Amino acid sequence: MRMLSDIPIAFLMIAAVTLVSAVCAMSLRNLVHCGLCLVLTFVGLAATYLHLSAEFVGFAQVLVYVGAVAILIVFTILLTRNAEVTLSPVSQSSLVGLGIAIAVCGSLVLPLVTSPSLRRLPAQSLAPDAQVQRIGEKLMAQYVIPLEALALVLTAAMIGAVVIAMRDDPERNDPSPSPQNQKDTGSVSNSPAGTALNSSSSTSSSQRP
Amino acid sequence: MDFIRYLDPTVQFMLFSAVKIVLVFAVAMTGVAYAVLVERKVSAWIQDRVGPNRAAPFFVHYLPVVGPFLTKLGIFQPMADGLKFILKEDFTPSYVRKIYFWIAPAISCVPALMTLAVIPFGSTLGNANNPMVIADLNVGILYTFGIVSLGVYGIVLAGYASNSKYPFLGGIRSSAQMISYEIAMGMSVVSVFLVVGDLNLSKVVAYQSGGIHEWLIFKQPLAFFIFLVSAFAETNRLPFDLPESETELVGGYHTEYSSMKFALFFLGEYAAMIGASAMMVTLFLGGWTPIWGGAPASSLLVGLSHIVWFLAKLGFFMVLFIWVRWMLPRFRYDQLMNLGWRRFIPLALVNIIITAGLIALTHK
C-alpha cells in the first residue's frame, strides 16, 4: 500500500481539480456553469495524460474534447437559452442515483480489470516510446476492427442528428415560408451531416432580432 | 559567458529556456504593438489618408531630420496607444456576470501566445544543443491545434458574461465559426504531414530546408490555400470578422469591455495573427530556412540571419492579413458556413485522399 506522500504532488493537484470540477458539472443548477465545469474536467484529464508523458493522447484530448465537444455543448446550451432555468434532478432519491452510479462504474471497471491486456503490460513504463507512428500502425493493423466499429457508431450518430434536423425543419418553416428559410431547408435535406449544424445555427441567428 | 559551461545540463536548459521565453514574449508583444501601427498606416494608405503622424515624446523634436521622419511614420504611436489603454477608466457594467467578465479577456489572449512555444523561429545560435524553439514537442502540430481551439472560449465567455444582446450574438457566431474552420484547417494540415511523415514542427522545417523548390506551399498548394483562408476565419479577421462586425453587432463580443480588458482582446487578436502567420511560415514556407536552403547554423551570425529570415516571412503574412482586411468586404453568415462546410472540408478530404494515393504509389 502506497502512502499518500509517495504520490507526486502534481498528480494530486490535477486529480483534485478533475474530481471537484466533475462533481460540480453534475451538481450545479445553472447549465452554463455545468458545461464550463465539464470543460475543466476535460482539461484535468488532458493534464493527467500529459503528466504520464502521453503527449499524443493529452493533446488529442484537448483538441477533441475541450476544443470541439465541450464548446459544442456550451454553444448548444447558450443557443437554446435554457441557461437560466434551474432544473430539478431526474430522480429525487439519492439511493437510486448511487445505485446507478455504482452499476455504471462497475460495468466499466470490470472489463478493464479482467482484461488480458493488463497482464501483457511490461513492468516499466511504455509512454516515452509511444510515437505517433506506432500509435497509427497499431490502430490500422492490430486494432482495425474496433476502429471501424467506432467509426460506424459515430456515423450512425451523425445520421441520427441529420434525421432529427430534417424532421424538425419543415414544421418550423411552414407557417411563414420566406425565401430565405426555404433555401435553408433545402440545404439541410440534401447535404452531409456537417451542414446540420451550419444551417441550424444560421437560421437561428437570422431569426434572432 | 564562460560560467555557463560549468553549470549542469538541467540548469543550463532551464536558463536557456527562460531566456528564449522572455525573448519570444518580448518580440511578440512588440510585434503586436507595431502590427497595430502597420494596420493603421496600411489602411490609411489604401484609403488615401495619412494615418498616425503626430505622436512623439518631447525630445524627438531636437533630433534633426530623423526625428520628424520617425514621427511622420508614427513610430511612437503604439506607446501612446498603450498608455492610453492603461489610463482609461476600467468600467464594469452592473449587469455583467463578474467572474466570467474578468476571466474572458485573459482566456482569449493566453492561448494565442502559447502557440508560439512550439514554433521553431531559428536554427541554432552556433550551439547545436540549443535549438531556437522553446519546446521541441514531438506532437507540435497537435499542441498548436489544441491550444488554438481554446481561444474560442474567451470570445464565447465574453459574449455570455456581458449579458447583453450584441455580445451574446457575437459569442455564438464566433463559436460556430471557429469550430467549423478548425475542422477545415486541421484537415488541410493532414496532407502536409502525410508528405513529411512527422508531427514535429522542427522536422517539418528540416524537410523543407533544401531551398524554395522544397517548400510545401508548392507541393501542397491546395492545403496552403485552405489553411490560409481558415486562418483568417480562426483569427476573426475580415472578411470573416462576423463575431465583432461593427455595422451589425456594434462591436460583437467586446462591446461591453473598456480599458485594459478591451486591450487584452485586441492583443489576443493580433497575437493570434502572429501565431497563425508563424504556423504558415513553418508549415508551408520553410520556416527559418533562406530561399536557397540551408542547414542549421554553425555560427552565431548565420543563426541570427536565420531568425531574420523567419521574421521576414512572418512579416509578409502579417502584411497580407492587414492588406486583405482593407480590400475585401465581410461575408454573409450563411456564405461563411457554406464555404467552410461545403467547400473547404470536402476539398481538404479530396486533397488527403489524392496525397495519400500518390504517396502509396510512389513509395514502393
Side-chain angles (χ1 to χ4, degrees), chain A:
Chain A
M1 189 72 195
R2 291 176 79 186
M3 299 292 290
L4 196 66
S5 55
D6 287 344
I7 304 172
I9 185 98
F11 175 77
L12 284 179
M13 284 163 66
I14 295 168
V17 169
T18 312
L19 288 178
V20 169
S21 60
V23 169
C24 286
M26 286 184 294
S27 53
L28 287 180
R29 286 286 175 266
N30 188 326
L31 272 181
V32 175
H33 297 183
C34 293
L36 293 172
C37 284
L38 192 65
V39 173
L40 206 59
T41 314
F42 287 148
V43 172
L45 280 178
T48 314
Y49 294 142
L50 290 179
H51 186 240
L52 296 170
S53 60
E55 288 174 351
F56 181 80
V57 188
F59 288 121
Q61 168 87 11
V62 174
L63 180 62
V64 175
Y65 283 94
V66 184
V69 174
I71 195 74
L72 265 183
I73 293 174
V74 174
F75 174 74
T76 321
I77 294 171
L78 287 179
L79 252 193
T80 48
R81 275 316 236 173
N82 265 341
E84 310 300 335
V85 180
T86 56
L87 297 170
S88 60
V90 179
S91 163
Q92 294 296 333
S93 159
S94 55
L95 259 176
V96 176
L98 197 68
I100 293 174
I102 289 174
V104 170
C105 186
S107 62
L108 286 176
V109 168
L110 199 69
L112 205 68
V113 178
T114 55
S115 161
S117 66
L118 213 60
R119 283 192 292 277
R120 279 209 304 268
L121 279 184
Q124 75 272 34
S125 164
L126 263 180
D129 208 19
Q131 295 285 327
V132 181
Q133 245 157 357
R134 277 191 56 199
I135 296 175
E137 279 162 11
K138 286 273 179 195
L139 272 183
M140 283 298 165
Q142 195 178 347
Y143 299 107
V144 69
I145 292 175
L147 183 76
E148 295 289 327
L150 271 180
L152 209 66
V153 170
L154 287 177
T155 315
M158 231 151 73
I159 293 172
V162 173
V163 168
I164 291 172
M166 274 166 68
R167 200 182 295 156
D168 196 41
D169 245 11
E171 293 166 14
R172 202 200 302 165
N173 292 335
D174 263 344
S176 59
S178 67
Q180 176 66 41
N181 281 354
Q182 275 175 351
K183 197 177 147 221
D184 274 342
T185 324
S187 76
V188 170
S189 54
N190 55 15
S191 63
T195 24
L197 169 75
N198 143 24
S199 53
S200 69
S201 61
S202 69
T203 41
S204 41
S205 58
S206 64
Q207 278 166 359
R208 264 169 215 286

Side-chain angles (χ1 to χ4, degrees), chain B residues 10 23 36 39-40 59 110 178 188 194 213 231 257 264:
Chain B
T10 324
L23 279 183
V36 178
E39 174 108 56
R40 294 177 66 178
F59 57 82
V110 169
M178 287 172 90
S188 72
L194 280 176
H213 57 280
Y257 283 88
L264 275 181

